[in-house]
Amino acid sequence: MRRVFPVIGLGLLAACSGGGGNSAGGGGGGGTVVQPPAIPTLSVTLDTAAQTQVASETDSRAAFAFTATYSGSTSDPIYPKIGFDAAVLTQDGDIVQTGKSYAVKLSSLRGLSAENRTGDVTFRLCRDQACNEVYPGSTQTFRYTLDVKLLDWGTFQRTPAHTGFVHATFDPQKIVKAWEWSPAGTQSFRPIAAKGDSLFVTRVSSTGLTSVHALNSANGTQRWNYDIGQIHSAGGPAVAGDQVHVVTMSTSSSDNRIVTLGATNGQFVRNMLFAAQWSQFAQPTVIDRELYLASGYYGNVVYGYNLDDGTTRWTANGSGGRVWDGETPAADDQYVYYYSGGLDVFRRTDGSLVKSIADPFWQWNGYSYAGGPILGARKNAIAYSGSGMGTYPIAFPLVSYDLDAGQVAWRTANSYNIAPALGNGVLFAGSNTQGQLDAIGEDDGKVRWSWPLPAGEQFVGNMIVTDNLLFFSTTAKVYAVSLSTHATVWSASTPGQLALSPDGKLIVVPQLGTGTIMTAYSLR
């Protein structure tokens, strides 16, 4: 930028001095315009014009770097400046100068939602710190692409915390049916797991044959299948790394199998054994290279396995002793959480009991339990206070446990029926007895707002919460409700159990005895 000194000031000065006419020195009031020296050109080139990085939903940080080098010279100061979207990036340290080159490091922020972002970083050289004057030829643009990927749907309610939360935003106007899958002779499906662009589902045929299938999430075509055989029961798969794990039961014994298969090819890897009698199973919980299963010949046993070699790491007995089947434990970096009429906390390293928190509200209605504890953001765990929900259409209150204090924090006033979802401090649960969906504060268990259940419909399956939408199913439809307006923004007449795949598909699997068509909807 060239600065021109103002002419108007010189004219006013001549008038005040009494000068007139066109005599020398007066110039008729017109002064001489003085032009400053031209700003020299400093031509900048970047060692790279663009860069793409991939990050995950749990850790959206990624590093971007480039070097800017200029040609030309000046005796004036040179100040490098960069501009970028501060809602996505932050500067990582100072700009480092070596001769005529400047090394720039940037990183993406923590906590970014899962989506693909593209933006520009502007580099320029300035004559002053405020960058009021920019050296010609020095402004260049570096383009970045940050792809924050969705997590795998690895187990019951997605992660070992069982929250059903997806840190992403979806436009309900873009939701379209992608495909259906209904192989001939299907009797039923179990809930799915998903990794990358692959879906894994347990299927039971009309002849009673249990098999595991891998599907292409993009179009629903089958990649492989593995026949387990004519058995009593099998749960839905869990996926960890390059392996798929399915809990099965042939007969009442101590030699029931967790069948492990290769995720890419469906090849048999190994069996891991456990005790149970005539049980139904939730998806086991996988974390790092470990798997945790709640079972036992008389229930009340938590099994921990090493997934590198299939060995049993430890077994531990719960203090409640009131649940035999249907439950999956929760897990975090240090502990495993098991509910059986009270909440037990076991150390992951050796299975030792760290603490047990009694549930004074427990209601017994059989040995089955639907789901597992939900790990919250307030050092709390939330669980249904009763058994039998996996077998009977009954409802129970939800109880939150303060893990540090070792006591009950709150109990909901209403009773609920299906697997809740927890995200951004709000717990979402459906009550068939109250005829409504409730948004419940994670901090105090109080209802913030409700969505009325349509007449003649009942909640089934589970809930998924994203940054802007809540997905759930009734006996008639699968719904999406806006978290800001609390209004229904999308629905489809394909009810069932829900999962959200890493490539942005909402997968709907019919509940037992309600259908044989698995449906996928593209959310992007």
Side-chain angles (χ1 to χ4, degrees):
M1 183 188 347
R2 299 173 60 192
R3 176 173 293 176
V4 179
F5 291 105
V7 177
I8 187 170
L10 294 173
L12 289 172
L13 180 61
C16 292
S17 67
N22 293 319
S23 59
T32 301
V33 177
V34 180
Q35 299 287 351
I39 301 176
T41 296
L42 300 181
S43 297
V44 168
T45 57
L46 305 182
D47 66 334
T48 179
Q51 196 172 119
T52 297
Q53 295 288 356
V54 176
S56 76
E57 185 185 334
T58 51
D59 185 1
S60 58
R61 294 171 301 170
F64 296 91
F66 63 90
T67 299
T69 303
Y70 74 88
S71 60
S73 62
T74 180
S75 60
D76 295 330
I78 301 175
Y79 298 96
K81 296 290 182 181
I82 55 174
F84 51 83
D85 184 353
V88 178
L89 300 178
T90 186
Q91 188 172 332
D92 189 3
D94 295 330
I95 299 175
V96 178
Q97 181 181 5
T98 304
K100 291 187 173 183
S101 294
Y102 299 89
V104 179
K105 292 183 179 180
L106 303 165
S107 62
S108 50
L109 300 177
R110 292 176 181 269
L112 296 176
S113 62
E115 63 179 274
N116 193 296
R117 299 169 174 84
T118 298
D120 292 326
V121 177
T122 302
F123 178 90
R124 54 174 56 95
L125 299 175
C126 309
R127 290 184 78 189
D128 58 287
Q129 286 188 329
C131 209
N132 292 317
E133 292 184 322
V134 180
Y135 286 101
S138 71
T139 302
Q140 297 295 331
T141 299
F142 169 80
R143 170 147 287 204
Y144 66 88
T145 298
L146 174 65
D147 188 7
V148 180
K149 299 284 191 182
L150 290 167
L151 295 176
D152 296 336
W153 191 279
T155 182
F156 172 75
Q157 285 297 76
R158 198 176 192 226
T159 69
H162 307 319
T163 62
F165 174 62
V166 179
H167 186 19
T169 298
F170 299 101
D171 183 351
Q173 300 300 317
K174 294 183 178 180
I175 302 177
V176 295
K177 181 184 286 190
W179 48 262
E180 294 179 345
W181 189 64
S182 181
T186 297
Q187 181 187 91
S188 62
F189 298 110
R190 299 295 184 268
I192 75 154
K195 178 180 176 59
D197 62 353
S198 291
L199 308 176
F200 306 96
V201 62
T202 305
R203 170 180 170 266
V204 180
S205 74
S206 55
T207 62
L209 175 67
T210 297
S211 54
V212 183
H213 300 257
L215 307 181
N216 184 330
S217 182
N219 54 28
T221 57
Q222 181 172 286
R223 286 182 164 154
W224 54 258
N225 73 282
Y226 180 88
D227 290 341
I228 294 177
Q230 304 277 348
I231 59 175
H232 171 72
S233 65
V239 60
D242 59 352
Q243 295 177 346
V244 177
H245 310 276
V246 180
V247 183
T248 72
M249 176 159 189
S250 298
T251 187
S252 177
S253 73
S254 298
D255 297 319
N256 291 292
R257 302 176 296 153
I258 304 172
V259 179
T260 298
L261 307 172
T264 57
N265 55 20
Q267 294 297 306
F268 175 79
V269 177
R270 67 174 65 91
N271 290 323
M272 296 179 289
L273 303 181
F274 67 96
Q277 52 177 319
W278 312 122
S279 296
Q280 301 289 334
F281 303 101
Q283 292 160 285
T285 293
V286 287
I287 182 170
D288 300 328
R289 294 298 298 161
E290 298 166 16
L291 180 147
Y292 296 96
L293 169 69
S295 187
Y297 195 78
Y298 296 103
N300 203 43
V301 178
V302 177
Y303 295 81
Y305 299 92
N306 184 330
L307 294 181
D308 288 328
D309 56 15
T311 56
T312 302
R313 301 179 68 244
W314 51 262
T315 61
N317 289 92
S319 59
R322 298 167 175 173
V323 170
W324 285 28
D325 66 349
E327 183 181 355
T328 190
D332 60 20
D333 290 344
Q334 299 184 66
Y335 304 111
V336 174
Y337 304 84
Y338 170 67
Y339 183 84
S340 182
L343 185 73
D344 293 320
V345 182
F346 300 101
R347 201 177 308 278
R348 269 183 58 185
T349 54
D350 58 9
S352 59
L353 181 65
V354 176
K355 67 178 62 177
S356 183
I357 308 173
D359 179 5
F361 312 110
W362 168 262
Q363 300 175 56
W364 190 88
N365 197 55
Y367 290 111
S368 296
Y369 188 86
I374 302 168
L375 302 184
R378 303 174 62 86
K379 294 185 178 180
N380 61 314
I382 301 169
Y384 274 116
S385 184
S387 62
M389 193 182 296
T391 305
Y392 308 106
I394 53 180
F396 292 109
L398 287 157
V399 175
S400 180
Y401 299 87
D402 183 326
L403 297 175
D404 282 346
Q407 63 187 21
V408 170
W410 51 256
R411 171 188 181 272
T412 58
N414 293 334
S415 294
Y416 300 95
N417 299 83
I418 66 173
L422 175 64
N424 295 321
V426 181
L427 178 71
F428 299 91
S431 174
N432 290 327
T433 55
Q434 297 293 323
Q436 64 190 39
L437 178 156
D438 287 338
I440 303 163
E442 183 184 0
D443 57 344
D444 59 9
K446 305 295 185 183
V447 175
R448 301 291 192 263
W449 56 268
S450 299
W451 180 90
L453 185 64
E457 299 182 24
Q458 297 278 285
F459 292 108
V460 295
N462 63 312
M463 295 190 172
I464 298 174
V465 62
T466 72
D467 289 332
N468 68 316
L469 298 176
L470 177 69
F471 293 97
F472 58 91
S473 180
T474 71
T475 47
K477 295 179 179 180
V478 55
Y479 291 92
V481 166
S482 167
L483 298 184
S484 59
T485 67
H486 311 157
T488 301
V489 292
W490 174 82
S491 65
S493 300
T494 55
Q497 191 87 14
L498 308 180
L500 207 157
S501 68
D503 63 344
K505 299 287 194 311
L506 180 68
I507 311 299
V508 186
V509 178
Q511 294 287 108
L512 287 176
T514 64
T516 60
I517 301 175
M518 193 165 82
T519 309
Y521 295 93
S522 292
L523 301 184
R524 290 175 168 167

